Amino acid sequence: MRLGRIASPDGVAFVSIEGEPQDPTGMTAREIAEHPFGTPTFTGRSWPLADVRLLAPMLASKVICVGKNYAAHVAEMGGLGKGPADPVIFLKPNTAIIGPNVPIRLPANASPVHFEGELAAVISRPCKDVSADRAAGSILGYTIANDVTARDQQQSDGQWTRAKGHDTFCPVGPWIVTDVDPSDLELCTEVNGQVKQRSRTSMMIHDVGAIVEWISAVMTLLPGDLILTGTPEGVGPIEDGDTVSITVEGIGTLTNPVVRKGKS
């Protein structure tokens, strides 16, 4: 199932998105009553997907991110060895979340700002101290995220909160896929149609189960919380006027334009 969140003439709603992305004109958004957790029930209303606006597919209480989770990315950022023995985690504020086609706004005081294409897991139920082998039972599904980063602020601050926490620095979408296996998916990031990142989730140092176990030992995870699983090599700058598209096999493509803050 593809789960999304839309703005329609009747308001904002969770939906099941039906049809195939290869034929967008045939896709529909079927309204879910209340929320998509558990077994969704439907209101009976639906819209052609072309007649509604896709929003970020989930409202998260928090966004937990994993850094340094692909060895080749660790190397390109100047790290040594095969990467950290344990997951390195940090938080983005939920105010950084935006949906598909919403502009990433570059702060006037940040340069360079980098894209980071990532697979993201969405939590389905409150959970704490979840073992790796039981993690799948706490995951609603998977979506795509861009861990946008002000690289100069990351380096100057000595920690990552400001650099990764700006408004619009967490594009997510276009929807959540509930039946995809995250273990070996191709991830490809393009800027203005040029491929910048191409890797597979099988190259992660810590897989999704290990990540959920590590994070849930620290904090309680709540329904809708997002876990960004790390970015592969190939990160680079984005500028005013660029378009970033991240495609994850079996999920779809997340596209966002880039503008300098203060411009429309």
Side-chain angles (χ1 to χ4, degrees):
M1 180 179 287
R2 294 186 193 94
L3 300 172
R5 199 166 60 94
I6 62 163
S8 77
D10 299 315
V12 174
F14 287 108
V15 294
S16 170
I17 298 170
E18 301 176 357
E20 294 302 323
Q22 296 90 333
D23 179 23
T25 59
M27 299 185 77
T28 59
R30 186 180 175 205
E31 187 177 41
I32 293 171
E34 298 180 352
H35 60 73
F37 305 106
T39 302
T41 58
F42 296 91
T43 66
R45 296 196 298 181
S46 65
W47 303 266
L49 191 61
D51 292 349
V52 299
R53 180 165 57 92
L54 282 170
L55 306 174
M58 189 55 64
L59 296 171
S61 74
K62 53 187 173 292
V63 182
I64 312 99
C65 306
V66 180
K68 303 179 180 181
N69 201 28
Y70 288 77
H73 175 58
V74 172
E76 78 174 347
M77 300 306 292
L80 300 175
K82 297 181 180 181
D86 295 315
V88 175
I89 61 173
F90 59 93
L91 296 172
K92 279 180 178 277
N94 58 13
T95 49
I97 297 172
I98 56 173
N101 303 311
V102 176
I104 299 166
R105 297 190 177 274
L106 307 177
N109 63 342
S111 181
V113 174
H114 282 191
F115 61 83
E116 294 190 6
E118 309 200 8
L119 175 72
V122 183
I123 296 298
S124 62
R125 62 180 181 84
C127 57
K128 182 75 168 73
D129 296 321
V130 179
S131 64
D133 60 351
R134 297 175 64 100
S138 299
I139 294 174
L140 176 66
Y142 296 88
T143 187
I144 304 167
N146 189 348
D147 177 19
V148 182
T149 304
R151 199 65 74 194
D152 59 332
Q153 295 178 359
Q154 183 184 29
Q155 293 169 351
S156 66
D157 290 359
Q159 50 84 24
W160 301 355
T161 303
R162 180 170 68 123
K164 292 175 175 284
H166 289 275
D167 291 353
T168 77
F169 271 27
C170 190
V172 181
W175 40 64
I176 299 161
V177 177
T178 61
D179 55 357
V180 67
D181 181 349
S183 62
D184 186 26
L185 304 174
E186 183 180 68
L187 185 154
C188 179
T189 303
E190 297 182 359
V191 178
N192 303 328
Q194 294 187 336
V195 174
K196 301 294 185 179
Q197 294 180 290
R198 190 184 296 278
S199 187
R200 303 194 68 87
T201 57
S202 56
M203 301 301 292
M204 289 182 187
I205 298 168
H206 308 287
D207 65 16
V208 172
I211 290 168
V212 172
E213 180 175 74
W214 182 262
I215 294 172
S216 68
V218 177
M219 66 190 77
T220 299
L221 295 169
L222 300 176
D225 282 353
L226 289 168
I227 298 177
L228 276 57
T229 60
T231 196
E233 73 277 12
V235 301
I238 47 177
E239 304 286 351
D240 183 24
D242 286 346
T243 299
V244 184
S245 294
I246 304 164
T247 300
V248 175
E249 180 183 1
I251 299 178
T253 300
L254 169 67
T255 297
N256 296 89
V258 181
V259 301
R260 180 62 60 181
K261 192 173 180 180
K263 296 179 67 174
S264 60

